[in-house]
Short mmCIF file of all heavy atoms in Angstrom, two decimals:
data_model
loop_
_atom_site.label_atom_id
_atom_site.label_comp_id
_atom_site.label_asym_id
_atom_site.label_seq_id
_atom_site.Cartn_x
_atom_site.Cartn_y
_atom_site.Cartn_z
N ASP A 179 5.03 -12.53 -14.43
CA ASP A 179 6.17 -13.21 -14.99
C ASP A 179 7.52 -12.62 -14.81
O ASP A 179 8.42 -12.81 -15.68
CB ASP A 179 5.88 -13.41 -16.56
CG ASP A 179 4.65 -14.27 -16.75
OD1 ASP A 179 4.40 -15.15 -15.99
OD2 ASP A 179 3.94 -13.99 -17.73
N ALA A 180 7.67 -11.84 -13.77
CA ALA A 180 9.04 -11.47 -13.39
C ALA A 180 9.71 -12.66 -12.65
O ALA A 180 9.02 -13.56 -12.09
CB ALA A 180 9.03 -10.27 -12.42
N THR A 181 11.05 -12.66 -12.66
CA THR A 181 11.77 -13.58 -11.79
C THR A 181 12.02 -12.78 -10.54
O THR A 181 12.60 -11.69 -10.60
CB THR A 181 13.12 -14.02 -12.45
OG1 THR A 181 12.76 -14.63 -13.64
CG2 THR A 181 13.92 -14.91 -11.57
N VAL A 182 11.62 -13.28 -9.39
CA VAL A 182 11.61 -12.42 -8.20
C VAL A 182 12.53 -12.91 -7.06
O VAL A 182 12.57 -14.08 -6.75
CB VAL A 182 10.18 -12.33 -7.62
CG1 VAL A 182 10.14 -11.44 -6.42
CG2 VAL A 182 9.17 -11.85 -8.71
N THR A 183 13.30 -12.01 -6.55
CA THR A 183 14.12 -12.30 -5.39
C THR A 183 13.56 -11.42 -4.26
O THR A 183 13.28 -10.22 -4.43
CB THR A 183 15.56 -11.88 -5.67
OG1 THR A 183 16.11 -12.61 -6.71
CG2 THR A 183 16.49 -12.09 -4.44
N ILE A 184 13.38 -11.99 -3.05
CA ILE A 184 12.99 -11.19 -1.90
C ILE A 184 14.16 -11.11 -0.89
O ILE A 184 14.71 -12.14 -0.50
CB ILE A 184 11.74 -11.85 -1.14
CG1 ILE A 184 10.61 -12.06 -2.15
CG2 ILE A 184 11.32 -10.97 0.01
CD1 ILE A 184 9.41 -12.77 -1.52
N CYS A 185 14.54 -9.93 -0.54
CA CYS A 185 15.61 -9.70 0.41
C CYS A 185 15.02 -9.16 1.67
O CYS A 185 13.96 -8.56 1.70
CB CYS A 185 16.65 -8.67 -0.11
SG CYS A 185 17.44 -9.19 -1.63
N HIS A 186 15.68 -9.39 2.78
CA HIS A 186 15.21 -8.99 4.10
C HIS A 186 16.37 -8.68 5.05
O HIS A 186 17.47 -8.70 4.65
CB HIS A 186 14.22 -10.04 4.64
CG HIS A 186 14.78 -11.41 4.53
ND1 HIS A 186 15.64 -11.87 5.46
CD2 HIS A 186 14.58 -12.42 3.61
CE1 HIS A 186 15.99 -13.10 5.16
NE2 HIS A 186 15.36 -13.45 3.98
N SER A 187 16.05 -8.49 6.31
CA SER A 187 17.03 -8.08 7.30
C SER A 187 18.17 -9.13 7.43
O SER A 187 19.21 -8.79 7.93
CB SER A 187 16.38 -7.73 8.63
OG SER A 187 15.63 -8.86 9.07
N LYS A 188 17.90 -10.38 7.10
CA LYS A 188 18.91 -11.42 7.30
C LYS A 188 19.63 -11.72 6.01
O LYS A 188 20.37 -12.72 5.97
CB LYS A 188 18.29 -12.69 7.92
CG LYS A 188 17.48 -12.50 9.16
CD LYS A 188 18.45 -12.34 10.35
CE LYS A 188 17.73 -12.40 11.69
NZ LYS A 188 16.77 -11.32 11.90
N THR A 189 19.41 -11.04 5.00
CA THR A 189 20.01 -11.26 3.69
C THR A 189 21.47 -10.78 3.71
O THR A 189 21.70 -9.57 3.89
CB THR A 189 19.24 -10.57 2.52
OG1 THR A 189 17.93 -11.02 2.53
CG2 THR A 189 19.91 -10.80 1.16
N PRO A 190 22.46 -11.65 3.53
CA PRO A 190 23.81 -11.19 3.38
C PRO A 190 24.07 -10.52 2.08
O PRO A 190 23.50 -10.91 1.09
CB PRO A 190 24.72 -12.44 3.58
CG PRO A 190 23.79 -13.58 3.56
CD PRO A 190 22.38 -13.15 3.36
N ASP A 191 24.89 -9.51 2.04
CA ASP A 191 25.27 -8.72 0.86
C ASP A 191 23.98 -8.28 0.04
O ASP A 191 23.84 -8.68 -1.09
CB ASP A 191 26.17 -9.53 -0.05
CG ASP A 191 27.02 -8.67 -0.89
OD1 ASP A 191 26.74 -7.42 -0.97
OD2 ASP A 191 27.92 -9.11 -1.62
N LEU A 192 23.20 -7.50 0.71
CA LEU A 192 22.03 -6.89 0.06
C LEU A 192 22.41 -6.22 -1.27
O LEU A 192 21.73 -6.38 -2.31
CB LEU A 192 21.39 -5.90 0.97
CG LEU A 192 20.24 -5.11 0.47
CD1 LEU A 192 19.00 -6.06 0.22
CD2 LEU A 192 19.80 -4.03 1.40
N ALA A 193 23.52 -5.49 -1.26
CA ALA A 193 23.93 -4.73 -2.43
C ALA A 193 24.17 -5.58 -3.70
O ALA A 193 23.68 -5.24 -4.77
CB ALA A 193 25.20 -3.95 -2.17
N ALA A 194 24.68 -6.77 -3.46
CA ALA A 194 24.97 -7.71 -4.59
C ALA A 194 23.61 -8.11 -5.26
O ALA A 194 23.50 -8.21 -6.45
CB ALA A 194 25.74 -8.94 -4.16
N HIS A 195 22.61 -8.38 -4.38
CA HIS A 195 21.27 -8.76 -4.89
C HIS A 195 20.62 -7.59 -5.61
O HIS A 195 20.10 -7.74 -6.75
CB HIS A 195 20.39 -9.23 -3.77
CG HIS A 195 20.78 -10.56 -3.16
ND1 HIS A 195 20.44 -11.72 -3.86
CD2 HIS A 195 21.35 -10.84 -2.05
CE1 HIS A 195 20.94 -12.74 -3.11
NE2 HIS A 195 21.52 -12.25 -2.01
N ALA A 196 20.71 -6.39 -4.95
CA ALA A 196 20.07 -5.24 -5.53
C ALA A 196 20.56 -4.95 -6.90
O ALA A 196 19.84 -4.51 -7.86
CB ALA A 196 20.25 -4.06 -4.59
N ARG A 197 21.92 -5.11 -7.10
CA ARG A 197 22.49 -4.80 -8.38
C ARG A 197 22.06 -5.71 -9.52
O ARG A 197 22.23 -5.39 -10.66
CB ARG A 197 24.06 -4.81 -8.22
CG ARG A 197 24.64 -3.55 -7.74
CD ARG A 197 26.19 -3.52 -7.93
NE ARG A 197 26.87 -4.47 -7.00
CZ ARG A 197 27.29 -4.17 -5.81
NH1 ARG A 197 27.08 -2.97 -5.33
NH2 ARG A 197 27.90 -5.07 -5.12
N GLN A 198 21.47 -6.85 -9.17
CA GLN A 198 20.93 -7.71 -10.21
C GLN A 198 19.62 -7.25 -10.74
O GLN A 198 19.03 -7.82 -11.73
CB GLN A 198 20.73 -9.12 -9.63
CG GLN A 198 21.92 -9.74 -9.04
CD GLN A 198 22.97 -10.07 -10.10
OE1 GLN A 198 22.67 -10.57 -11.14
NE2 GLN A 198 24.23 -9.69 -9.80
N ALA A 199 18.98 -6.30 -10.06
CA ALA A 199 17.56 -6.02 -10.28
C ALA A 199 17.32 -5.12 -11.60
O ALA A 199 18.03 -4.12 -11.71
CB ALA A 199 16.97 -5.29 -9.12
N ASP A 200 16.37 -5.62 -12.38
CA ASP A 200 15.87 -4.74 -13.44
C ASP A 200 14.79 -3.78 -12.80
O ASP A 200 14.59 -2.70 -13.22
CB ASP A 200 15.21 -5.54 -14.55
CG ASP A 200 16.23 -6.42 -15.16
OD1 ASP A 200 17.30 -5.98 -15.65
OD2 ASP A 200 15.97 -7.64 -15.27
N ILE A 201 14.06 -4.41 -11.83
CA ILE A 201 13.06 -3.66 -11.06
C ILE A 201 13.44 -3.86 -9.56
O ILE A 201 13.46 -4.93 -9.12
CB ILE A 201 11.63 -4.16 -11.30
CG1 ILE A 201 11.32 -4.05 -12.80
CG2 ILE A 201 10.64 -3.49 -10.39
CD1 ILE A 201 9.99 -4.78 -13.16
N LEU A 202 13.71 -2.69 -8.90
CA LEU A 202 14.10 -2.80 -7.49
C LEU A 202 13.05 -2.11 -6.67
O LEU A 202 12.77 -0.88 -6.87
CB LEU A 202 15.46 -2.02 -7.31
CG LEU A 202 16.06 -2.09 -5.94
CD1 LEU A 202 16.41 -3.51 -5.48
CD2 LEU A 202 17.41 -1.30 -5.92
N VAL A 203 12.40 -2.88 -5.76
CA VAL A 203 11.33 -2.30 -4.88
C VAL A 203 11.94 -2.24 -3.45
O VAL A 203 12.33 -3.27 -2.91
CB VAL A 203 10.09 -3.16 -4.90
CG1 VAL A 203 9.04 -2.61 -4.00
CG2 VAL A 203 9.54 -3.29 -6.34
N ALA A 204 12.00 -1.03 -2.90
CA ALA A 204 12.54 -0.93 -1.55
C ALA A 204 11.37 -0.60 -0.53
O ALA A 204 10.71 0.39 -0.67
CB ALA A 204 13.51 0.24 -1.51
N ALA A 205 11.13 -1.58 0.37
CA ALA A 205 10.04 -1.44 1.37
C ALA A 205 10.58 -1.88 2.69
O ALA A 205 10.27 -2.94 3.18
CB ALA A 205 8.85 -2.32 0.90
N VAL A 206 11.45 -1.05 3.24
CA VAL A 206 12.20 -1.40 4.48
C VAL A 206 11.82 -0.54 5.67
O VAL A 206 11.55 -1.02 6.73
CB VAL A 206 13.75 -1.35 4.17
CG1 VAL A 206 14.51 -1.70 5.40
CG2 VAL A 206 14.09 -2.23 3.01
#
Side-chain angles (χ1 to χ4, degrees):
D179 298 325
T181 301
V182 182
T183 300
I184 305 176
C185 298
H186 47 79
S187 54
K188 304 284 190 296
T189 301
D191 203 352
L192 176 67
H195 289 284
R197 274 193 290 272
Q198 302 294 315
D200 300 307
I201 298 169
L202 183 61
V203 179
V206 180

